[in-house]
Amino acid sequence: MDDRYDPQVIEAKWQQEWAARQLDRTDTDPQKPKFYALSMFPYPSGNLHMGHVRNYTITDVIARCRRMQGYRVLHPMGWDAFGLPAENAAIERGIHPRVWTQQNIAQMRQELQRLGLSYDWEREVTTCHPDYYRWTQWLFLEFFEAGLAYQKEAAVNWDPVDQTVLANEQVDSEGRSWRSGALVERRLLKQWFLKITAYAEELLNDLEQLTGWPERVKLMQANWIGKSSGAYLEFPIVGSDEKIAVFTTRPDTVYGVTYVVLAPEHPLTLKVTTSRRRKTVEAFIASVQQESELERTAGDRPKRGVATGGKALNPFTGEEIPIWIADYVLYEYGTGAVMGVPAHDERDFQFAKAHKLPIRQVIIPPDGKASTRLKAAYTEPGRLINSGPFDGMDSAAAKAAITEYAATRGWGREQVQYRLRDWLISRQRYWGVPIPIIHCPQCGAVPVPRSELPVLLPEEVEFTGRGPSPLAKLEAWRNVPCPKCGTPAQRETDTMDTFIDSSWYYFRYADARNSEAPFDPAAIKDWLPVDQYVGGIEHAILHLLYSRFFTKVLRDRGLVQVSEPFQRLLTQGMVQGRTYKNPRTGKYVIPSQIADLSQPTDPETGEPLEVVYEKMSKSKYNGVAPSEVIEKYGADTARMFILFKAPPEKDLEWDDADVEGQFRFLNRVWRLVQTFKANGGQLGQPLPTSLTKAEKDLRRAVHTAIKEISDDLEGDYQLNTAVAELMKLANALGSADCYTSGVYGEGIQTLLTLLAPFAPHLSEELWHQLGGTDSIHRQPWPKVDPTALIAEEMTVVIQVMGKTRGTIQVPAGASQAELEEAAKQSDLGQRYLAGKTIKKVIVVPGKLVNFVLAP
Ligand SMILES: [Zn+2]
């Protein structure tokens, strides 16, 4: 039965055996150092795709390797199971979101198990289960009690397709919903927010501590938080006690302010508008309400605005300047007003040109002169002119001096501003965590008492996909007495953004079955932070920023001790498939419809097709189902290929020939072990006391592999080169002719042990065939013997009185003194030098040693 490598038989056998032995259960031995290896948990959409396989295989290799290195490892898996697709399935197919989700989880769990991923399933978490979302609600109340969860009327991003509100992070750079792809509209609604802005500074500063994160991700977060330092300044409204507040990063340009602009929604807008301008202003406000935020702020469109007729005072110049309103100023950002400095701001320049407003230059290039007529805004720092007492100062000094000047006169102050907005978490949908709040006409927003959690999602609801959320339509569920005063009150019917569920799941794994609390602080202290987190770059802002925010809030509530949840982050690249595309029409073509794949042409038009690699997707007909590959070659080959083909953080091009190549490699390992066994080889053979050259060479290859693979499993996890090293070691064993030596035995045993994290089934099978009784996954990671690494030997000629007497082997790179000593001690040296007096020794490094004897 051992004559052929049959992955289907072997893999099924060992998966069953491992489950029976509970091999993947988390080791809690307190003597061992901890290691927390985590993949971003999936949304249970139905089937695993190759992106999942890649993400989970990378983390699995790391987890398995750390176990062998003596760590107790936490390596869990779970399901980010709330969200819109389940609800959409309910609307489209009449299946309850809970049932749809459970079916998908069952399917995907089976596929994960088939891959041989070493998860501790006893710690599985599912965010849509009441025993999980009960604690999501509990944690929401922590935010509420800390004043970090609040409701406010706000202009929100409204997705007209999904009929729901989106967070800013869920709107892409084209102003489309991250899920439905619909163009997002602006609407005014009462919404729940989490006050992430209270942590803006810490979220920004602590990025520095994240030395194990990709720079790219840290930069994206820093830009998203968007800190800018500048001045808050106030412009008094002429004929009124009120003032218009602005924030500027360029207080050095304040003498160049020739107008101020309010957002159309600004409460001062109608107050400053003169009666003559009222009609125009009202019409303009109405038209702006139709525009999305993106349309309003797009750089390439005309700057629309109208004068209000009102005037403000520039306190620095004493001049009266007009007050305008414009669509590009948003009320939610900053103060909802800006000062217009057309000479030194590109947008203001365009606006002033379009509306014939004065342009006054107050900054010139450090060595330049003022232009009589500016052709574009000069936006660089420079030297001040036309700026009263500040003339001649450079921009940096002037910024400080002008801010100081304003502060002493009560016109403003220094200020720091962030781009980050509070996190809008209200969703008008069913399949999410109910917000545990009851609205009482007497007491306002009252938290549901913690003893009454969870607020269960009602089962019997109607899914129409239109209008208000199904919960809002459930009178019986909504109407409850106020927990404080008993007055008839109403439940909150919004559910939470599912990004809240995923903002704390990594804590729950540390204590997944706790029914008394979200987690025991001792368990968090024991396991957190996550030592290695692996997931896609698409979560660089959303999930990773929210999780960092949650961690800091829970720390301040005394629930966790860490300030950052993820010590190291690896963002794996995409899996791309070979894609056939008609370059003229842009249409993707199904490969099976192409007559000749070596010269592909469009089956409809006969035009030549373009062959490119693009992210695998159904619509591009370039996907490869993990199940197909596993059925054909087994999970070990699938794992090996996906690790070998590209470094983890780079995109990977799927290639059937390379999959086949990895299958052949595993077959080679199989045959090596069969031959070894046939020659009487077994585990634990002793090393010979002295080694032949062939043995030394083989042993060097073995220990070089240990060293290289151990190095590859640190830092950036160069798992592709680790697989290449495994292949090199197998080649060295294949070509060695000392296969009955203990060195060969050490080589086979080392190959299997190093291979174990990568191809866990095959290595386990062969380990047992060689007499292993405990699992190979419980063996210690091999250690490098530094003496075995000593580089090649070299041949050195021994001469006596210039006459060649023979050669000796010495370690390469031996020094002159070492060469001389080795020559004297060698058999040749003993024979020809015995009883002689050496007068002189001539050493030609790396070549020869010549002894000159006394006569
Ligand atoms: Zn009440």
Side-chain angles (χ1 to χ4, degrees), residues 440-444 446 482-487:
C440 168
Q442 311 292 332
C443 318
V446 179
C482 167
K484 252 190 191 166
C485 70
T487 304

Side-chain angles (χ1 to χ4, degrees), residues 38 40-43 79-82 125 127 132 136 170 178 423 433 496-509 533 539 542-548 550-551 565-566:
L38 185 63
M40 291 182 186
F41 67 167
Y43 180 79
W79 310 99
D80 191 10
F82 271 132
V125 304
T127 60
Y132 182 88
T136 307
Q170 293 163 345
W178 71 296
W423 176 11
V433 183
M496 298 182 206
D497 181 359
T498 59
F499 277 95
I500 291 191
D501 309 335
S502 54
S503 290
W504 74 279
Y505 79 110
Y506 46 89
F507 289 129
R508 182 70 177 172
Y509 283 136
Y533 200 24
H539 297 291
L542 290 160
H543 163 60
L544 291 168
L545 188 64
Y546 293 154
S547 295
R548 296 182 59 223
F550 252 68
T551 301
F566 313 122

